[in-house]
Structures are given as structure tokens and as C-alpha cells.
Amino acid sequence: MAKTDPGATAFATPDDIKGVLGDLDQAQILAIMSLRPSIADLEQASVWLDGDPDVFGAGMALQGVASEIVAILTENEDEEPPRTG
């Protein structure tokens, strides 16, 4: 269940994060929680990560908390896997 602040913004819980973004490691969940995202922020990040440009419009940049969530979830994507052998 989402918590609310006095300004009536519903902040996402760890369960909300897992429900929208899937199974993440604890460090990613904590980093996302530190942003105090709303469920809408999580949903925007999820749509962006799924690569659906029609939702935002071609060439539109993701902004705000949703953008920071995407950065957290993609920060290690460019790293090459360790070589074995």
C-alpha cells in the first residue's frame, strides 16, 4: 500500500517497486526508495525501459524521478561480463 505525505503525493513502497519493475536487488530498491518516487514515476520508468517511444513521443526525453530510476537500473548495462577461461 502506498504511503502519502501531507501534500497528498502517494509515495511508492518497496512492494510497489517490485510489482512495477520486477525483481531487483536490494541496493537498487534502496536507491530508488531514496528518490521518494510515486507509482506514476515507477510506471513511466518501466514503460521507458520497455522501449515504447509511442507513449512519450519520438525524441522526447524522460525527466524527473523516472529518469533517475532508469539511470539506477541501467548504470551497469555498458559493462562487459567477466571473461572466463
Side-chain angles (χ1 to χ4, degrees), residues 48 51-62:
W48 188 265
D52 191 351
D54 292 335
V55 174
F56 295 101
M60 292 292 292
L62 188 61

Side-chain angles (χ1 to χ4, degrees), residues 11-41:
F11 293 112
T13 66
D15 287 338
D16 295 328
I17 293 170
K18 292 175 190 174
V20 174
L21 298 172
D23 191 27
L24 304 175
D25 67 44
Q26 191 65 26
Q28 289 174 315
I29 292 172
L30 291 174
I32 292 169
M33 286 298 297
S34 74
L35 301 173
R36 298 182 59 145
S38 67
I39 293 174
D41 293 326

